[in-house]
Amino acid sequence: MARDRSRGGVPGVPGATAAGRPAAGGGRRRAAAALPTAALAALAALAGCAPVGGGTEGGEGAGGAERTLTVFAAASLTGAFEELGERFERDHPGTEVEFNFAGSSQLAGQINEGAPADVFASADTRTMDTVAEAGNTAGEPVVFVRNTLEIAVPRGNPAGVEGLADLADPRVSVALCAEEVPCGAAAAEVLDAAGVEVAPVSLEEDVKAALTKVELGEVDAALVYRTDVLAGDDVEGVAFAEADQAANDYPIAVLAAAPRPALAEDWVAWVRSADAQRVFRDAGFTTR
């Protein structure tokens, strides 16, 4: 069964565990926290000694030995990727897909510091470029979906938020993503385009954390992706015209140091297939 590394810690690295942030609700999986530098070094050392998850690249030929595909992906891809992971495992007997979901810039930093992974899927091209420019992608990243922002509000919209301008009202508490992560950069772009100045009560490390603030009733509104509103618990979405001005393209790439490059290529092809693109559309993404 496809699993999220953040729930079970990092294989082979004692003490390297996931974020302690409350789950967004409904049993959905949490995004992972940044790994300490010491843990990254340990992971890199382990990767040089043996494949992650055991087995070999040609796992089926090794007596059915289990093999693990490690996918680092933007937090906003959680629901769709988990569904695709389960289907991928059914089509690749003996394979387990292990996810590390977090803010894209956080994951890019982990990869560039040596964390072993097979695939990286980012929520924007700018962050993927930092990995490619460091020589850590194999080949050219390809864009596979697009996402836009919405305003997430608690069900019933108690603060009466009707558009971006309402977020500037000091009586409305707002959570935004930090500008270092793609959802934060997109939020800054649409607010600039609309000429709206917002004083957020919190800046979050990724889009799931911003949405959780709304789900827990800690803020009146948050700027998150449309897909997160659709997947959220007890939230509604308020669309706004400026959203298209900051649509994010999501690229994906096999990593240069992938322990299982052939399996990683299969995953990228699966994500770009017609069947997978239907899963993304159902989740609210725009497909190409």
Side-chain angles (χ1 to χ4, degrees), residues 119-144:
V119 177
F120 177 43
S122 171
D124 71 352
T125 55
R126 182 186 64 171
T127 304
M128 178 63 82
D129 287 346
T130 66
V131 176
E133 289 167 2
N136 289 325
T137 58
E140 195 72 20
V142 292
V143 173
F144 63 104

Side-chain angles (χ1 to χ4, degrees), residues 71-73 77 81 119-122 124 128 137-145 249-255 264 267-269 271-272 280:
V71 176
F72 280 27
L77 290 166
F81 264 29
V119 177
F120 177 43
S122 171
D124 71 352
M128 178 63 82
T137 58
E140 195 72 20
V142 292
V143 173
F144 63 104
V145 289
D249 287 333
Y250 283 51
I252 190 169
V254 174
L255 296 174
W267 173 263
V268 172
V271 164
R272 300 178 68 196
F280 289 122

Side-chain angles (χ1 to χ4, degrees), residues 82-285:
E82 286 181 339
E83 179 176 346
L84 294 176
E86 291 180 3
R87 296 192 192 183
F88 188 83
E89 288 174 350
R90 287 199 295 270
D91 291 342
H92 294 74
T95 296
E96 179 180 68
V97 182
E98 183 178 272
F99 294 110
N100 184 15
F101 295 114
S104 296
S105 52
Q106 190 176 27
L107 297 173
Q110 292 177 7
I111 293 166
N112 287 340
E113 289 186 48
D118 295 288
V119 177
F120 177 43
S122 171
D124 71 352
T125 55
R126 182 186 64 171
T127 304
M128 178 63 82
D129 287 346
T130 66
V131 176
E133 289 167 2
N136 289 325
T137 58
E140 195 72 20
V142 292
V143 173
F144 63 104
V145 289
R146 171 173 283 196
N147 211 351
T148 56
L149 295 176
E150 277 193 355
I151 303 169
V153 298
R155 195 167 298 284
N157 193 6
V161 175
E162 297 180 352
L164 282 180
D166 292 328
L167 302 185
D169 188 330
R171 295 169 297 181
V172 177
S173 57
V174 179
L176 298 177
C177 297
E179 285 196 41
E180 291 76 16
V181 297
C183 62
E189 191 172 341
V190 296
L191 291 171
D192 285 345
V196 174
E197 293 188 11
V198 176
V201 298
S202 69
L203 292 171
E204 300 299 325
E205 65 182 8
D206 61 44
V207 70
K208 295 296 184 187
L211 182 69
T212 298
K213 290 283 185 180
V214 179
E215 292 175 328
L216 295 178
E218 296 178 358
V219 298
D220 297 314
L223 267 178
V224 300
Y225 294 119
R226 177 172 179 266
T227 53
D228 294 289
V229 172
L230 292 174
D233 295 324
D234 296 323
V235 299
E236 298 177 0
V238 178
F240 53 92
E242 296 87 350
D244 287 340
Q245 298 183 34
N248 276 15
D249 287 333
Y250 283 51
I252 190 169
V254 174
L255 296 174
R260 305 190 185 283
L263 199 60
E265 293 284 359
D266 286 350
W267 173 263
V268 172
W270 163 229
V271 164
R272 300 178 68 196
S273 71
D275 285 345
Q277 293 286 292
R278 279 193 287 273
V279 171
F280 289 122
R281 285 194 293 274
D282 289 345
F285 290 95

